[in-house]
Structures are given as structure tokens and as C-alpha cells.
Amino acid sequence: MEGGSRLAAAPDPRNSGPSARISKAKPMSLWFLLLCALALTAYAAIGGIFLAFSDFIMRSFDLVRNQAGIEAMQVLNVEIIRSVFMVLFMGLAILSLVIVVYAAFTLDGTPRRLLLLAGLSYLVGVFVVTAAGNVPLNNRLAAMDPSTAQTLVFWKQTYMTRWVNLNSLRTLACFLASGLTLAALIVR
């Protein structure tokens, strides 16, 4: 063209109308999808372990002769520190933090909200509840002599009720985190 005039490009019909103002959610990267799938599986696995304790393990410990349940729980609380469960439990806290940060700064829309809630459900409902509730009860039980009447009273009236209630909360938080992660993967 002469005189330096330029032709305007024709507008793209796909970018016009009311839907043009709605931004499409950013896609999740493959590594993040795999990370979410791993988290979903781990949330469900940890939740299943917690469910077993709330449903029948703790009740069984309470039904055996008085101090046997206390002794079993004291041993379990020592052994769990050296188990695969602890690696999964702690690793999932780190993974949940990664999910929260990535979702907050990279995603938008419904997947963002779902993954923020999933990660926070685990971090608060499992990790914080464990550190602030279950662990102090475990430490208190560990310091007691299982053969004393005082320990039996603590076990029956305090430990069993509070520990199982806190554990049931952790169970629900795990299953909530798992469900929210699954929903985020479906709607992405």
C-alpha cells in the first residue's frame, strides 16, 4: 500500500461477544497434575489409617485388660516415628504447602479455590491438629506409668475421648482434602 496506510485486521469472531470477557482458567502443568494425583492418593491413604484408629483400633486398645491398651499405645507412639507413615505424613505437609503456593500464584478459577482448600484442609485439619492436639496427649501418656490408677483414669476419661475426637477430625480433613483435589482435577 502506498502512503503508509495500513489495513486493520478483521476481528476474530471467537474473541467477541459476552464470552470474550470471561478469561479461561490457566491449564495445570503436567508435573503439577501428577503432584496432585500423588497428593490425592496420599490424602486418602492417610485418611484410611486415621479412620482405622478412630473406628476400631483405639476401641480395641480400650477393651483389652486395663494397662495393655495403654502399653500398646505407648509402644505405637514410639514406633510410628520410625515408620513409612511418618515419611508420608510429613511429606504430605510439604506437598500440601507446594499445592497451596502453586494454586495461589499460578491457577485461577475453581481449580485454584479447590486446591487451596485441599492443601489448607490437610495443613490445618491434619498437621496442626496433630501437633497441637494428638502429640501433646501422646507425650503426656508416654510420661506416665501404665500400671498406676492415675494413668488408667487419664486413659479412660481424657485420652480416649480427646485423642479419638481429634483423630476423627484428622480423618475428615484427609478425606475432604482428597475429595477437593479430585474435584479440582475433574473441573480443570
Side-chain angles (χ1 to χ4, degrees):
M1 299 208 123
E2 292 182 344
S5 65
R6 296 183 182 174
L7 292 175
D12 185 346
R14 295 174 293 176
N15 293 332
S16 61
S19 64
R21 285 179 240 119
I22 301 172
S23 66
K24 192 167 185 159
K26 296 174 187 171
M28 291 182 202
S29 64
L30 178 61
W31 75 267
F32 189 70
L33 282 170
L34 295 174
L35 204 66
C36 287
L38 175 66
L40 186 150
T41 305
Y43 289 145
I46 294 279
I49 293 167
F50 289 153
L51 177 62
F53 271 87
S54 287
D55 185 39
F56 59 86
I57 293 172
M58 294 304 291
R59 188 176 47 219
S60 298
F61 285 174
D62 198 35
L63 292 174
V64 296
R65 65 181 166 78
N66 293 338
Q67 68 195 48
I70 296 167
E71 290 169 345
M73 194 64 183
Q74 286 174 327
V75 170
L76 189 145
N77 286 332
V78 170
E79 290 301 312
I80 201 161
I81 301 299
R82 300 185 295 246
S83 71
V84 172
F85 172 84
M86 190 55 68
V87 173
L88 189 59
F89 176 81
M90 298 300 284
L92 201 46
I94 294 166
L95 185 57
S96 295
L97 190 57
V98 169
I99 287 171
V100 166
V101 170
Y102 185 89
F105 293 105
T106 307
L107 302 177
D108 55 14
T110 302
R112 176 181 189 257
R113 287 187 295 278
L114 291 170
L115 289 172
L116 284 171
L117 288 172
L120 291 173
S121 292
Y122 184 84
L123 289 169
V124 174
V126 177
F127 196 79
V128 170
V129 166
T130 300
N134 295 86
V135 169
L137 286 169
N138 292 343
N139 291 341
R140 191 166 162 202
L141 184 67
M144 299 177 113
D145 178 356
S147 64
T148 67
Q150 179 186 5
T151 302
L152 186 58
V153 168
F154 171 73
W155 172 258
K156 296 277 188 190
Q157 294 179 1
T158 304
Y159 190 89
M160 286 298 297
T161 304
R162 286 186 194 162
W163 196 95
V164 171
N165 286 341
L166 291 167
N167 193 65
S168 296
L169 178 62
R170 297 187 304 174
T171 304
L172 291 173
C174 278
F175 291 146
L176 178 63
S178 183
L180 290 166
T181 304
L182 178 61
L185 293 175
I186 290 170
V187 301
R188 67 174 177 83

